[in-house]
Amino acid sequence: MACPLKAILNTEDCSPRKAPGQNVTTRGLEAPGPLGVQQADRSTPTPIISKTVSYGYPPPFALSSNRGALYHRRTSRSPQRIPTLPTPPASDSPRIKDRPVHWVEPGPPSHETNTNRFSVFQALLSYPELTFEVAKQLDVEDLISLYAISKEFHLMLDSRFTTMILSQSLGKAAESSRTFLFKCYRNLCTYDPGARPNLEIPGQVRHVPSFRWLRMVLFREKVVHEIIACLAAEGHFLPKRASLVIKKIWFMMDIPDNLRRIGLIHNKTFWEDRDLFVATWFFIKLDMFLTDPVDGNGETRLRKMLFAQRSLSILWKVLKREQMATPYEMMQMFVRWRYHPEPRHRGMSICGVPANKLGTGELEGWGTGTAVLLRPDELVMREAIRRKMGLHQKYMDMMLWGYIDKKTGEDIWATENDVEEGSSMSETDEDAGEGSEKAEDEEEQDQVDYTAFDLG
């Protein structure tokens, strides 16, 4: 029978009432031992604990005179024997009594370390100017991924889309971004995400450079640098301005008709006299690269075939031995360029080239026109004659330049750095090294050569 709460919390004297002159004591009430220790044997005399003894806490039951017989009250509320607890097995973990109060069992390992959910990028978005400065340092592929993933960054970039694209191009390929203007490549542009009006055509949204144009500019910057490096690895050095001139040649190759190509080469602001001089220099060095130095007899048809292609990336792959590496591949390119089959072979594919593509590589529109398209090397030579520059008198100096040091008369050999990174004379402003004495001498020689030649 459970002990009532009122009886447990009763603070009055609930001991049996004694008659006058009767001494009432409580017998059989044993002092409880420690936890896990069995009580002494019942045969041992039990000490009599007087009611007057103070335990420091109220007894677990109360003896009431008006609640049943005394024997039943004692037997129903007598202390119970507690069995001995088993001994826990030995363990390396600290015992419970030695552990601090705040000690918590470690849970399973988790991959998540940012429990506060703090994001550096989300914090940067609160400062647009700082966000744009950080975005300028990203690669173009990382910038595109971030633009596609983050909605906040997407909206922020749309408000200044042109600024971000041009800052990326000017910071990583300044020369190419000024040569290949985005206004000349409408298919690589997009409508302004900010919906700004076109000042030239009222009622329309203006066109701005896109990520495709940015990729094209960075790719061409890399290709031009590697073309110069491939020539330098074989000992054919070029002046510093060759990087800009090769890009101007590539820009001319993007024009598919003769009318605009001739108009561009006549523009003295775009094609200066020194640009024509360096372009001729580049053609001669390329002929020397494509001709056997011992058994060659001045072959120029390879150079003409390469500059008749739609892009200068074909020349880049040829110099890297990735294209036209076999005679069969060379025949394929030639057949596509200017081979006209005999009447009995018309309508047949030759060397894997379809019949409708035979000999169409030299036509305007890259095969869609009827007139023969003038190549960049042809136009440079014609313009130099029109301006009466007399470049034919300097062919020998262009061939010898970069092989013999004019100060010492000794040969100039290509170094390992020239093989890997290109000639020090071909370095752009962004790729310039720490500035050794040899590079300074070669730069002075480059400046002297320009002033020594009479450009008319």
Side-chain angles (χ1 to χ4, degrees):
M1 178 175 180
C3 180
L5 182 62
K6 182 178 179 180
I8 294 176
L9 299 179
N10 188 13
T11 57
E12 63 182 358
D13 187 9
C14 298
S15 59
R17 305 299 180 182
K18 69 177 182 176
Q22 182 182 1
N23 185 13
V24 179
T25 58
T26 304
R27 300 182 59 88
L29 182 64
E30 303 174 358
L35 183 66
V37 179
Q38 296 180 353
Q39 299 291 337
D41 190 13
R42 289 293 182 179
S43 60
T44 306
T46 304
I48 300 176
I49 302 176
S50 175
K51 176 179 177 297
T52 59
V53 176
S54 177
Y55 293 98
Y57 53 88
F61 52 88
L63 300 178
S64 178
S65 58
N66 55 0
R67 295 291 182 90
L70 178 61
Y71 176 77
H72 295 289
R73 292 200 303 268
R74 288 186 177 181
T75 57
S76 61
R77 293 171 174 82
S78 59
Q80 301 293 328
R81 294 177 180 271
I82 302 177
T84 305
L85 298 178
T87 303
S91 175
D92 295 336
S93 61
R95 293 179 298 177
I96 296 179
K97 68 177 182 178
D98 296 336
R99 297 176 183 176
V101 178
H102 60 275
W103 192 85
V104 181
E105 281 286 345
S110 175
H111 66 278
E112 183 177 355
T113 58
N114 187 10
T115 57
N116 296 328
R117 301 292 182 180
F118 175 75
S119 174
V120 176
F121 180 71
Q122 293 295 333
L124 282 175
L125 291 177
S126 303
Y127 305 92
E129 299 300 333
L130 184 59
T131 304
F132 283 118
E133 290 299 326
V134 173
K136 290 179 184 178
Q137 312 304 323
L138 298 177
D139 293 337
V140 59
E141 299 301 330
D142 296 336
L143 180 63
I144 295 174
S145 299
L146 187 60
Y147 181 76
I149 293 172
S150 175
K151 181 179 179 180
E152 294 82 0
F153 183 77
H154 188 107
L155 297 176
M156 185 182 298
L157 190 61
D158 284 348
S159 62
R160 305 180 186 179
F161 194 81
T162 306
T163 303
M164 175 56 64
I165 298 297
L166 293 181
S167 62
Q168 280 269 343
S169 62
L170 291 174
K172 300 177 181 179
E175 203 173 64
S176 296
S177 62
R178 296 189 182 100
T179 304
F180 308 105
L181 299 176
F182 70 90
K183 294 184 178 180
C184 300
Y185 297 88
R186 179 62 63 87
N187 59 330
L188 299 181
C189 295
T190 183
Y191 288 106
D192 190 355
R196 294 177 178 85
N198 192 336
L199 300 179
E200 300 178 356
I201 306 177
Q204 293 187 7
V205 180
R206 67 173 185 173
H207 285 83
V208 296
S210 64
F211 286 114
R212 295 178 59 198
W213 177 82
L214 180 60
R215 281 173 169 171
M216 184 265 291
V217 167
L218 299 178
F219 172 74
R220 293 193 175 189
E221 182 77 19
K222 168 191 172 184
V223 168
V224 170
H225 176 71
E226 291 189 3
I227 287 175
I228 297 176
C230 290
L231 293 176
E234 298 295 332
H236 307 293
F237 300 102
L238 291 170
K240 284 185 62 175
R241 195 172 178 83
S243 175
L244 176 61
V245 172
I246 295 176
K247 293 167 187 173
K248 291 184 177 182
I249 295 174
W250 201 339
F251 180 76
M252 182 183 293
M253 295 175 66
D254 291 333
I255 301 176
D257 57 271
N258 291 326
L259 184 62
R260 286 185 291 173
R261 285 193 177 190
I262 294 174
L264 180 63
I265 199 67
H266 285 176
N267 188 348
K268 291 187 177 182
T269 303
F270 188 84
W271 278 101
E272 302 178 11
D273 291 347
R274 56 177 179 173
D275 293 335
L276 299 177
F277 181 81
V278 176
T280 307
W281 201 334
F282 171 62
F283 297 146
I284 292 177
K285 293 292 185 179
L286 186 59
D287 288 338
M288 296 173 66
F289 179 88
L290 299 174
T291 303
D292 190 273
V294 178
D295 301 330
N297 55 357
E299 178 62 47
T300 61
R301 283 179 294 180
L302 286 178
R303 181 247 304 168
K304 294 178 182 179
M305 182 172 61
L306 291 173
F307 281 107
Q309 305 301 316
R310 185 170 182 171
S311 175
L312 206 61
S313 59
I314 304 298
L315 172 63
W316 169 59
K317 294 179 181 179
V318 170
L319 295 180
K320 294 179 64 177
R321 307 303 198 274
E322 295 179 357
Q323 192 167 342
M324 206 174 70
T326 62
Y328 181 75
E329 293 180 356
M330 186 184 301
M331 288 298 300
Q332 278 186 323
M333 187 178 296
F334 177 78
V335 167
R336 188 184 297 269
W337 172 40
R338 63 171 9 174
Y339 177 73
H340 301 284
E342 298 180 0
R344 59 193 181 94
H345 291 156
R346 291 178 182 175
M348 301 172 56
S349 62
I350 300 177
C351 295
V353 180
N356 60 340
K357 299 293 183 181
L358 297 176
T360 59
E362 63 175 356
L363 302 179
E364 285 185 324
W366 301 293
T368 59
T370 56
V372 177
L373 185 63
L374 296 175
R375 304 185 311 273
D377 53 333
E378 288 182 282
L379 294 171
V380 168
M381 187 180 300
R382 291 184 180 187
E383 183 64 18
I385 295 175
R386 192 183 72 88
R387 298 185 189 183
K388 301 179 180 180
M389 297 177 59
L391 295 182
H392 61 283
Q393 301 176 3
K394 309 300 179 183
Y395 288 164
M396 185 59 65
D397 295 331
M398 295 178 185
M399 292 177 60
L400 296 178
W401 191 89
Y403 296 104
I404 300 176
D405 191 345
K406 289 187 176 181
K407 295 182 179 179
T408 61
E410 298 180 356
D411 296 337
I412 299 177
W413 298 92
T415 62
E416 295 182 359
N417 184 48
D418 296 333
V419 175
E420 297 177 358
E421 300 294 338
S423 172
S424 58
M425 289 183 290
S426 303
E427 289 175 340
T428 58
D429 296 337
E430 292 79 13
D431 298 328
E434 300 179 355
S436 60
E437 296 180 358
K438 178 181 178 181
E440 294 177 357
D441 294 341
E442 291 169 345
E443 185 175 356
E444 293 177 359
Q445 180 183 356
D446 185 13
Q447 296 176 356
V448 171
D449 287 339
Y450 279 125
T451 57
F453 287 116
D454 183 13
L455 301 179

